[in-house]
Structures are given as C-alpha cells and as structure tokens.
C-alpha cells in the first residue's frame, strides 16, 4: 500500500475522524510522528475528546495513556517549581510574566493541556534582570553557559539571559526582558507587554505571576515560532492553532490582533502564523484577515520561497514524514532564523565562531 503517511499527525490533530480507516502502518506513523514532535500528549487529548467517533487500537492506547500520565507529572513538577520561583522573586515587588508553555498551563488554556515542558520561561523588566538572577541563584539555580563569548552573546545581543539550571533538580529557567532579540531590528515595548499582562493564580504561590494578554500571547507565540529555528515547528504551530481558536471568541480579539502586532513592530510573524495555521490545521480566521495575509505574504516570489521553506518544518522529524529535501530546507531555515535575529556584521562572526571555534552546543 503506497498511501502517504507524512501528514498523518497534522491531519489527525485537525480532524481525528480520519483515523477511522487507519491500518497498523498508519497508526505506527502517527504515534512516531507525535512522539518526535512532542505532541503525543496533545494527540492523546484530541483522540480522547473525539469519544466514540474514534476507535483506537489497544496497543496504540497504551502509548496514549502513558503520554497523558507523563504530561500530568510535568504539570505537577511545573507547579512545584513555580512555588519555589515565586518565593524567590517575590522580593522584586513587581509582576513576573510567565511565557510559552508554562503560561498556557497555568492559565488553563487548551494549548497547555498535556504539553511537555523543557524549561520555564519568565519575563521581568530589564532593570530587574540582575536582582531576579541573583534571587534565583540564591535558590540553587546556576548558569549553564560559562564561557565569555556565550555570556556576552546573551547579555549584549539577546532578549534573554543565559539559561540557568537548578543544581540538584535540573530544572531550567530562561529569564527574558523582552520577546525578540534587540539585534533583530524589531523593538516591541516590553513595558507595555508587562502592563497589559493578566494576573493568574498559581497554587501555593505569592500573587506575582502574570500571563500575556490574549493578543500579545498569540503575537509572542508567532515570534517564537517564525523567528526561531522551527525545530518543533508543528508543535508550536499547534499551540497557535489552539490559542487562536480559544481567544477568537473574546470580544475585540480580531480587531486588535494586527494593529497590536503592528504597534510592536511584529506584524510579519503574526501574518505568517495566521497563514500557516489555516493551511496546516484549518484554523478559523475571518475572511478579511485571511485575504490580507495572502495579499501581504504572497505577492512576491520571496513569499512563495518563504512558504516553501517553512512548509518543511511542519513535518515531523520521523522516517514516515521526513526526506533529504526537507532536511536541506531545515538547514536553510536555521540560517534564516539567525539572519532574522542578527544583522550580517554580527551574524557572520557569530556563525563562524560556532562552526569553527566553539564546539559546545549551539546557543543561537
């Protein structure tokens, strides 16, 4: 049987009923794609929510149930870590904004359901970075990038400090002061982002945590995806699909999304997010905004080239969905992500250093 399996994961997340005629090969491809994309828990949620409309074979159900249990342990661990972080950062006397997966989880959003957490992303005012870092150091977190080049790279050019890792528990915190690297040429207003953030209650924590407003959360998720290396492109796009679907019912969401992104100089990644969420997951977007996305992004040959490159990141890194050509396009996307974040006079020496001098893991 030559039926293609490479889109099984995206198609099932969007329309779980397509699994009705899956055979063993299809299920094997689906589970493998979900596992390598960090989407196995979300897939389990989608298939469970489909109820009797989907019949899951018993061997497959074993993997899905295990994914749900692992995700529950991640949520429990997140709660415990946030309690320690809140206790440490309460001395700042100002809001601490949770970003990305941690924010989705504590806000009870669909995008946070059964999601795995690689690290905890926080944002504070730039003037509070040193006090926040010192407070976390006193609670056992330590820097992970100790050489002088990496320290300068993060502290001078990036939107976050070098990751810090707890010396016994191994939990990692990324401490941000804005949402895109200043070297990208895009200068959002972090003070406004923090001011517009919404309070969120976290069990056993002082009342210091906030999450970005719905419009800003979508904007940041789009920046994280389309200004990054798109290594987990499908997972991050699914986050956007869930966020947009949940927030679209809020009054004023669509009216404010693009104007807010424009005010923060981040309209381009938001347009890409809407375009690809519609293309891959069928995300509902108002017709006028969808037409604007197509008009703004598809009017030049560069738009078609960008679409072609990004499309490669929307396939799981799994034998059933990968290819040599898609891997080649991902390498181009890796270079593109750096080009979007750094001007050439910084980018060329940085890539040269990473390629020929510094043999630790990439930090870009």
């Amino acid at each position: 049987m030559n039926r293609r399996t490479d889109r099984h994961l995206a198609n099932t997340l969007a329309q779980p009923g397509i699994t009705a005629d899956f055979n063993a090969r299809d299920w094997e491809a689906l589970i493998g794609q979900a596992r390598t994309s960090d989407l196995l828990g979300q897939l389990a949620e989608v298939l469970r929510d489909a109820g009797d409309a989907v019949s899951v074979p018993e061997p497959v159900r074993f993997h899905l149930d295990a994914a749900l249990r692992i995700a529950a342990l991640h949520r429990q661990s997140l709660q415990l870590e946030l309690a320690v972080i809140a206790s440490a950062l309460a001395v700042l006397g100002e809001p601490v904004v949770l970003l990305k997966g941690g924010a989705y989880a504590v806000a009870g959003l669909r995008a946070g359901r059964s999601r795995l957490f690689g690290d905890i992303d926080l944002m504070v005012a730039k003037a509070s970075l040193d006090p926040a870092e010192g407070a976390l150091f006193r609670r056992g977190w330590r820097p992970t990038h100790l050489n002088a080049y990496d320290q300068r790279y993060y502290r001078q050019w990036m939107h976050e400090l070098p990751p810090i890792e707890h010396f016994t528990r191994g939990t990692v915190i990324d401490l941000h002061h804005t949402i895109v690297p200043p070297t990208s040429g895009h200068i959002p207003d972090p003070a406004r982002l923090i001011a517009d953030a919404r309070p969120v209650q976290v069990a056993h924590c002082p009342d210091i945590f906030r999450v970005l407003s719905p419009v800003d959360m979508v904007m940041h998720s789009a920046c994280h995806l389309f200004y990054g290396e798109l290594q987990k492109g499908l997972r991050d796009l699914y986050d956007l699909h869930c966020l947009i679907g949940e927030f679209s019912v809020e009054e004023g969401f669509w009216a404010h999304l693009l104007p807010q992104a424009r005010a923060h100089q981040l309209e381009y990644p938001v347009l890409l997010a809407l375009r690809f969420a519609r293309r891959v997951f069928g995300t509902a977007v108002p017709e006028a905004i969808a037409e604007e996305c197509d008009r703004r992004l598809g009017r030049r040959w560069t738009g078609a080239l960008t679409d072609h490159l990004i499309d490669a990141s929307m396939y799981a890194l799994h034998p059933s969905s990968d290819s040599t050509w898609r891997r080649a396009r991902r390498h181009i996307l890796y270079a593109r992500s750096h080009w979007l974040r750094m001007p050439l006079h910084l980018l060329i020496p940085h890539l040269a250093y990473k390629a020929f001098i510094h043999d630790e893991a990439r930090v870009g």
Side-chain angles (χ1 to χ4, degrees):
M1 184 174 184
N2 294 320
R3 175 166 49 176
R4 293 184 61 177
T5 61
D6 55 1
R7 281 288 189 189
H8 273 3
L9 178 56
N11 292 341
T12 301
L13 289 170
Q15 298 179 354
I18 70 166
T19 60
D21 63 345
F22 272 18
N23 58 27
R25 175 175 174 266
D26 295 316
W27 283 109
E28 181 182 9
L30 177 64
I31 295 301
Q33 290 171 23
R35 193 181 301 280
T36 58
S37 301
D38 283 350
L39 279 167
L40 191 55
Q42 291 91 322
L43 175 66
E45 292 268 7
V46 166
L47 293 175
R48 185 180 65 184
D49 291 350
D52 294 337
V54 172
S55 178
V56 179
E58 194 59 35
V60 174
R61 191 175 300 280
F62 171 83
H63 293 282
L64 300 178
D65 290 345
L68 292 175
R69 290 194 293 271
I70 291 170
L73 290 174
H74 273 243
R75 285 196 304 274
Q76 183 180 16
S77 175
L78 175 67
Q79 292 280 346
L80 294 172
E81 292 299 324
L82 289 179
V84 179
I85 292 168
S87 175
L89 297 184
V91 298
L92 299 179
E94 62 184 62
V96 175
V97 179
L98 286 165
L99 301 173
K100 298 191 289 192
Y104 309 154
V106 300
L109 297 173
R110 180 184 166 199
R113 290 168 54 185
S114 295
R115 199 180 191 279
L116 303 182
F117 307 98
D119 49 31
I120 299 173
D121 293 271
L122 310 172
M123 183 170 71
V124 298
K126 189 172 185 178
S128 300
L129 281 176
D130 287 346
E133 188 178 32
L136 292 168
F137 283 177
R138 288 190 290 273
R139 293 300 181 97
W141 276 273
R142 296 291 182 265
T144 58
H145 295 70
L146 296 176
N147 70 78
Y149 180 87
D150 286 351
Q151 288 290 320
R152 182 166 67 92
Y153 171 81
Y154 277 101
R155 295 178 186 276
Q156 183 173 329
W157 296 334
M158 289 294 102
H159 54 305
E160 58 188 345
L161 296 184
I164 55 176
E165 182 177 8
H166 198 275
F167 79 102
T168 58
R169 296 192 300 276
T171 53
V172 176
I173 294 175
D174 288 336
L175 193 59
H176 297 64
H177 59 89
T178 186
I179 58 174
V180 292
T183 53
S184 69
H186 301 281
I187 312 297
D189 183 353
R192 180 175 171 185
L193 294 172
I194 294 173
D196 291 343
R198 298 181 173 185
V200 65
Q201 295 296 320
V202 181
H204 312 298
C205 292
D207 185 21
I208 66 168
F209 287 122
R210 305 286 186 272
V211 296
L212 296 173
S213 71
V215 166
D216 291 343
M217 192 178 288
V218 169
M219 182 176 67
H220 177 235
S221 184
C223 292
H224 173 67
L225 173 55
F226 291 106
Y227 280 163
E229 298 163 20
L230 290 97
Q231 291 176 330
K232 297 291 183 182
L234 192 61
R235 185 202 64 177
D236 294 340
L237 189 68
Y238 185 69
D239 285 346
L240 279 159
H241 167 69
C242 294
L243 293 174
I244 293 167
E246 194 159 1
F247 293 150
S248 62
V249 299
E250 291 205 10
E251 184 178 358
F253 173 78
W254 287 115
H256 290 108
L257 179 60
L258 291 183
Q260 180 85 329
R262 194 176 302 122
H264 284 288
Q265 303 182 26
L266 295 172
E267 191 176 21
Y268 174 66
V270 173
L271 291 170
L272 281 175
L274 298 176
R275 181 177 176 87
F276 275 88
R278 287 180 69 232
R279 176 181 295 185
V280 176
F281 294 113
T283 309
V285 176
E287 192 61 33
I289 294 179
E291 289 176 357
E292 182 172 359
C293 290
D294 292 340
R295 177 177 58 83
R296 298 276 298 279
L297 296 174
R299 60 188 176 184
R300 297 192 301 266
W301 68 268
T302 52
L305 177 60
T306 299
D307 282 357
H308 186 63
L309 291 174
I310 292 175
D311 180 70
S313 70
M314 300 306 161
Y315 291 86
L317 292 170
H318 186 264
S320 65
S321 56
D322 204 9
S323 70
T324 301
W325 177 226
R326 286 172 186 163
R327 288 193 294 273
R329 282 185 282 169
R330 290 192 191 102
H331 286 303
I332 298 173
L333 284 170
Y334 176 77
R336 171 187 175 274
S337 71
H338 283 79
W339 177 69
L340 288 173
R341 290 182 290 174
M342 301 178 75
L344 283 176
H345 72 277
L346 296 178
L347 175 59
I348 292 173
H350 173 68
L351 292 181
Y353 178 84
K354 289 297 160 190
F356 301 112
I357 301 173
H358 187 38
D359 59 4
E360 291 182 7
R362 289 171 178 163
V363 299

